């Protein structure tokens, strides 16, 4: 049930990729279209083909399961405790809407201050789909 | 069971909260505790018998609310420690007060919930409001007496079990000896004594020497309901290990390994992810255990390791949607499951605010919905049906119109009666079956 594996990578590299990665693609996963059509019998396999088509680099990273390790380190990362406390304070201020009820209408002349800007999503949180 | 009783579950109570993260009845079923993402615990109490009308059981009303956990900051890793309550477990009642364990990712707390319905009045040196009297005005001496007052329910933290987990706690389970309990994180399980907070014993450690070799994590753990030396833990690879603490101090070697063999030709990228067990629960009898993986519920006989004795499909129609469920992260949702008091029916949640029940004896199953729009109070719940493909009948819902943001992850069943608690994202629903 083996399919053709690209010759480019050395035998050693191939072995390390597949043995260390729990979700590495098994050798049964086809790399050419004809075989793909044959294998699309179960709905699960069909979904897998879909996923591989959208994210060809998924599951090919060596070195243990990225997914598992990301799970172990869930939680929002901050630069340091100061960053954390600032973020907490900002959250608290946002939750008190009665802060400045008589603020004048902001027109186009208003120069934005950091408080007016939407909070930036922390960049250290990486999508699991990213390469 | 279904024909007569289940179908007549009534819509009972709807309580809006922060995102509910755990639901648990106490041993008598009189109290129902919920934990939420904001670290709060809300306890409901069933109305006493003599207050209720003849055609229904007592309703659940809010009994106590308290802040169990606060957000913290892990300075070493620069990570926030969420205050979200992951699990609540009740201790059996030993005296007038109630005790429960609540845990977030890192810290377990023992809370005492007690009632106060009397207070001392008639102090000599203080006014009734607490202000100190001018000593020169005190001319007589009196003995303070206890007078009745409006019921006050107080929660106080009695023990804090901290700093024992490097990874995130997913389970706590009280031993049948009522003296010890276990806490499990992704890689380790610790054993605690309820009285001792500065020490805990590590009983399972699956952390590999080299983290690059990490292949599976612990997803849930529970003590056996009757054997105080036995516990099980489930993994992200779909296996359950039963361990006996009499065998050795460190239970890295299991006594039993429960795993259903998989057909290798069916293996796909999703196989391992959907086989990950999100919950494991012993039956009340202790003879069986139930596991929940992404698509099914399995009942295992503790005497048979090589396959489950019963398998129930929760939402098999999602198998052809795995690609999108992976992209929107829903494939990682952790559904819980529960037994009814007599172990004859099991229940678990699904999407679109649906929840499912399986009668083990008749092999019948039912899908119900927890939503305000479709259920008026005191009306019978209507069974739902999802149409997987092809022509959709009148009351059916097609797979593509399911709302995957409306998930029921947490459900609980009263230990003695047919009363269930179902948590949607923000609301708690309590249903009970029709009495006569």
């Amino acid at each position: 049930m083996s399919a053709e594996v690209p010759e480019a990578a050395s035998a050693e590299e191939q072995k390390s990729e597949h043995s260390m990665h729990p979700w590495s693609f098994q050798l049964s996963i086809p790399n050419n279209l004809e075989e793909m059509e044959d294998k699309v019998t179960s709905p699960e396999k069909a979904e897998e083909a879909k996923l591989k088509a959208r994210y060809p680099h998924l599951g090919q990273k060596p070195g243990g399961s990225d997914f598992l390790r990301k799970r172990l380190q869930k939680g929002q990362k901050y630069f340091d405790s100061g960053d954390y406390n600032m973020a907490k304070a900002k959250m608290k201020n946002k939750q008190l809407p009665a802060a400045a009820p008589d603020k004048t209408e902001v027109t186009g002349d208003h120069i934005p201050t950091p408080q007016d800007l939407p909070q930036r999503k922390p960049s250290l949180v990486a999508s699991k789909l990213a390469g | 069971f279904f024909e007569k009783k289940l179908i007549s579950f009534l819509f009972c109570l709807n309580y809006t909260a922060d995102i509910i993260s755990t639901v648990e009845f106490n041993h008598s079923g009189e109290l129902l505790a919920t934990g939420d993402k904001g670290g709060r615990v809300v306890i409901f109490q069933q109305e006493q018998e003599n207050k209720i009308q003849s055609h229904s059981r007592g309703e659940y009303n809010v009994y106590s609310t308290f802040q169990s956990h606060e957000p913290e900051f892990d300075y070493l890793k620069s990570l926030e420690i969420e205050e979200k309550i992951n699990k609540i477990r009740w201790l059996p009642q030993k005296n007038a007060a109630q005790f429960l364990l609540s845990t977030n990712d890192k810290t377990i707390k023992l809370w005492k919930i007690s009632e106060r319905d009397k207070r001392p009045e008639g102090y000599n040196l203080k006014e009734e409001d607490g202000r100190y009297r001018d000593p020169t005005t005190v001319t007589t001496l009196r003995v303070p007496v206890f007078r009745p007052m409006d019921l006050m329910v107080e929660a106080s933290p009695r023990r804090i079990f901290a700093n024992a987990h490097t990874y995130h706690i997913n389970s706590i389970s009280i031993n049948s000896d009522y003296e010890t309990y276990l806490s499990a994180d992704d890689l380790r399980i610790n054993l605690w004594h309820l009285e001792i907070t500065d020490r805990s014993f590590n009983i399972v450690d699956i952390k590999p020497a080299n983290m690059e070799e990490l292949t599976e994590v612990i997803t849930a753990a529970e003590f056996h309901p009757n054997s105080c030396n036995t516990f099980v833990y489930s993994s992200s690879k779909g296996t359950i290990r039963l361990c006996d603490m009499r065998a050795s101090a460190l239970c890295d070697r299991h006594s039993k390994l429960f795993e259903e063999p998989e057909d290798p030709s069916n293996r796909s990228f999703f196989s391992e992810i959907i086989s990950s067990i999100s919950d494991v629960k012993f039956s009340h009898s202790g003879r069986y255990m139930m596991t929940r993986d992404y698509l099914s519920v399995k009942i295992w006989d503790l005497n048979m390791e090589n396959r489950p004795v019963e398998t129930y499909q929760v939402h098999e129609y999602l198998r052809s949607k795995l690609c999108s469920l992976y992209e929107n992260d829903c494939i990682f949702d952790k559904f819980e499951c529960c037994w009814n008091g007599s172990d004859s029916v099991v229940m678990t949640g699904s999407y679109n605010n649906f929840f499912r029940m399986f009668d083990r004896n008749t092999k019948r199953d039912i899908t119900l919905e927890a939503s305000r729009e479709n259920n008026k109070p005191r009306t019978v719940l209507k069974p739902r049906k999802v149409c997987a493909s092809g022509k959709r009948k009148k009351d059916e819902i097609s797979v593509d119109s399911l709302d995957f943001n409306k998930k029921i992850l947490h459900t609980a069943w009263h230990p003695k009666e047919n009363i269930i608690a179902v948590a949607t994202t923000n609301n708690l629903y309590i249903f009970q079956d029709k009495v006569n």
Side-chain angles (χ1 to χ4, degrees):
Chain A
M1 199 159 71
S2 64
E4 299 302 323
V5 171
E7 297 291 342
S10 76
E12 232 172 71
E13 251 177 46
Q14 284 301 311
K15 219 204 274 185
S16 67
E17 256 187 52
H18 288 292
S19 62
M20 287 177 81
H21 197 303
W23 287 318
S24 65
F25 285 91
Q26 303 298 313
L27 287 175
S28 64
I29 285 147
N31 269 330
N32 55 55
L33 259 172
E34 287 145 352
E35 273 176 296
M36 217 154 90
E37 270 154 9
D38 284 338
K39 297 278 191 231
V40 173
T41 44
S42 79
E44 217 173 293
K45 287 266 167 75
E47 290 296 297
E48 178 180 44
K50 229 192 271 178
L51 194 70
K52 191 170 201 287
R54 287 189 208 173
Y55 308 101
H57 296 297
L58 203 55
Q60 280 164 25
K61 277 212 250 181
S65 171
D66 283 344
F67 165 66
L68 277 183
R69 272 187 289 142
K70 222 166 259 170
R71 174 193 175 139
L72 293 185
Q73 204 192 265
K74 91 168 202 257
Q76 183 151 8
K77 202 157 174 95
Y78 291 89
F79 181 71
D80 62 11
S81 64
D83 186 22
Y84 170 74
N85 286 311
M86 291 283 283
K88 278 265 133 7
K90 205 172 221 167
M91 278 273 283
K92 264 210 191 110
N93 285 338
K94 273 207 188 131
Q95 277 162 11
L96 301 170
D102 51 6
K103 216 193 233 176
T104 53
E105 269 291 319
V106 174
T107 66
D109 298 322
H110 176 73
I111 297 170
T113 61
Q115 280 81 4
D116 299 329
L117 295 173
Q119 198 167 34
R120 190 176 69 84
K121 191 174 170 192
S123 53
L124 289 166
V125 176
S127 163
K128 63 179 181 311
L129 296 171
Chain B
F1 174 72
F2 282 155
E3 296 287 284
K4 296 207 168 72
K5 290 198 169 176
L6 243 191
I7 258 167
S8 44
F9 263 98
L10 310 179
F11 170 58
C12 192
L13 170 85
N14 172 242
Y15 179 78
T16 305
D18 196 349
I19 297 175
I20 296 169
S21 50
T22 186
V23 183
E24 185 84 353
F25 279 100
N26 76 336
H27 291 251
S28 66
E30 186 205 348
L31 298 177
L32 174 68
T34 62
D36 68 23
K37 191 160 171 272
R40 273 175 305 271
V41 170
V42 180
I43 301 175
F44 300 85
Q45 183 189 43
Q46 192 176 27
E47 266 176 5
Q48 299 315 300
E49 286 292 322
N50 54 11
K51 284 197 203 146
I52 57 176
Q53 293 150 327
S54 58
H55 65 267
S56 73
R57 291 199 195 79
E59 291 196 358
Y60 282 81
N61 301 310
V62 177
Y63 176 68
S64 171
T65 305
F66 57 93
Q67 187 77 33
S68 172
H69 287 70
E70 296 277 3
E72 285 173 59
F73 189 67
D74 181 339
Y75 294 91
L76 199 62
K77 296 180 186 167
S78 292
L79 285 172
E80 178 177 28
I81 300 171
E82 269 191 292
E83 67 273 35
K84 172 166 75 86
I85 308 294
N86 292 333
K87 284 277 157 33
I88 290 174
R89 290 287 181 262
W90 289 91
L91 264 71
Q93 190 172 12
K94 285 193 282 193
N95 52 39
Q98 300 278 356
F99 289 85
L100 60 79
L101 284 176
S102 73
T103 186
N104 69 347
D105 282 338
K106 296 286 182 179
T107 306
I108 306 130
K109 295 188 184 181
L110 177 70
W111 286 90
K112 176 180 178 183
I113 297 109
S114 47
E115 291 184 1
R116 195 198 290 262
D117 61 357
K118 295 185 272 291
R119 65 177 177 154
E121 281 177 24
Y123 284 107
N124 290 291
L125 299 177
K126 278 199 287 190
E127 302 285 1
E128 292 312 325
D129 59 8
R131 280 177 306 152
Y132 281 95
R133 290 168 72 182
D134 180 358
T136 56
T137 64
V138 179
T139 52
T140 58
L141 204 60
R142 55 186 175 165
V143 178
V145 291
F146 275 97
R147 293 243 139 83
M149 63 180 251
D150 285 339
L151 179 67
M152 203 165 74
V153 182
E154 302 170 319
S156 61
R158 304 305 278 182
R159 307 264 187 279
I160 298 184
F161 305 91
N163 302 318
H165 287 277
T166 308
Y167 303 99
H168 299 104
I169 298 173
N170 52 56
S171 311
I172 47 174
S173 176
I174 299 171
N175 202 348
S176 51
D177 66 9
Y178 300 145
E179 281 187 354
T180 56
Y181 74 95
L182 63 76
S183 57
D185 68 29
D186 291 317
L187 296 178
R188 298 193 177 99
I189 302 179
N190 293 331
L191 181 70
W192 302 83
H193 191 286
L194 284 164
E195 301 288 329
I196 298 168
T197 58
D198 63 355
R199 241 175 308 161
S200 84
F201 290 102
N202 177 242
I203 51 176
V204 171
D205 189 339
I206 64 167
K207 182 169 188 241
N210 179 4
M211 283 299 271
E212 305 270 298
E213 290 161 14
L214 180 69
T215 56
E216 67 181 327
V217 295
I218 297 168
T219 52
E222 193 176 60
F223 264 121
H224 190 276
N226 306 318
S227 301
C228 58
N229 49 275
T230 306
F231 66 92
V232 294
Y233 68 92
S234 58
S235 84
S236 54
K237 273 186 159 174
T239 63
I240 309 102
R241 287 174 176 80
L242 184 142
C243 301
D244 187 334
M245 295 194 292
R246 297 169 300 187
S248 71
L250 191 60
C251 297
D252 275 359
R253 283 193 14 222
H254 54 262
S255 300
K256 294 198 183 200
L257 173 66
F258 297 85
E259 187 173 15
E260 183 166 28
E262 191 198 9
D263 182 0
S265 63
N266 280 339
R267 192 164 176 81
S268 75
F269 175 79
F270 303 109
S271 299
E272 192 173 305
I273 303 176
I274 62 172
S275 72
S276 175
I277 292 171
S278 49
D279 194 16
V280 64
K281 291 260 170 51
F282 278 106
S283 64
H284 294 90
S285 64
R287 166 85 190 266
Y288 299 96
M289 67 178 174
M290 164 167 54
T291 57
R292 174 70 155 99
D293 51 72
Y294 190 61
L295 297 178
S296 67
V297 159
K298 293 178 181 169
I299 312 280
W300 304 77
D301 184 327
L302 292 190
N303 298 317
M304 188 162 77
E305 297 167 62
N306 58 359
R307 59 179 172 81
V309 289
E310 295 155 39
T311 302
Y312 301 103
Q313 300 302 334
V314 181
H315 37 216
E316 179 68 12
Y317 46 78
L318 295 184
R319 201 179 285 269
S320 53
K321 302 282 172 202
L322 292 177
C323 181
S324 5
L325 292 169
Y326 179 87
E327 287 175 305
N328 62 18
D329 272 354
C330 284
I331 204 174
F332 302 110
D333 284 337
K334 297 188 180 72
F335 292 94
E336 290 173 10
C337 53
C338 60
W339 300 84
N340 73 338
S342 58
D343 297 337
S344 60
V345 183
V346 297
M347 170 168 68
T348 189
S350 178
Y351 294 104
N352 210 69
N353 283 344
F354 288 169
F355 57 101
R356 304 261 286 137
M357 291 183 184
F358 303 92
D359 187 326
R360 297 178 61 214
N361 299 324
T362 64
K363 303 299 178 202
R364 298 174 90 113
D365 61 88
I366 192 170
T367 306
L368 298 169
E369 181 179 358
S371 94
R372 260 185 292 200
E373 287 86 41
N374 300 329
N375 298 313
K376 281 192 285 230
R378 310 238 152 256
T379 59
V380 173
L381 290 183
K382 206 175 86 162
R384 302 282 176 216
K385 191 144 166 53
V386 176
C387 167
S389 60
K391 270 186 138 174
R392 187 177 72 86
K393 295 200 199 98
K394 191 171 84 99
D395 280 331
E396 288 182 357
I397 299 171
S398 87
V399 183
D400 296 308
S401 19
L402 293 176
D403 188 342
F404 290 99
N405 291 317
K406 293 187 178 169
K407 48 192 96 172
I408 290 178
L409 303 175
H410 312 286
T411 59
W413 205 307
H414 191 289
K416 300 185 172 84
E417 296 170 19
N418 283 334
I419 301 175
I420 58 172
V422 171
T424 59
T425 311
N426 285 99
N427 296 328
L428 177 74
Y429 293 79
I430 299 180
F431 300 106
Q432 59 186 21
D433 70 346
K434 216 169 174 179
V435 176
N436 70 287

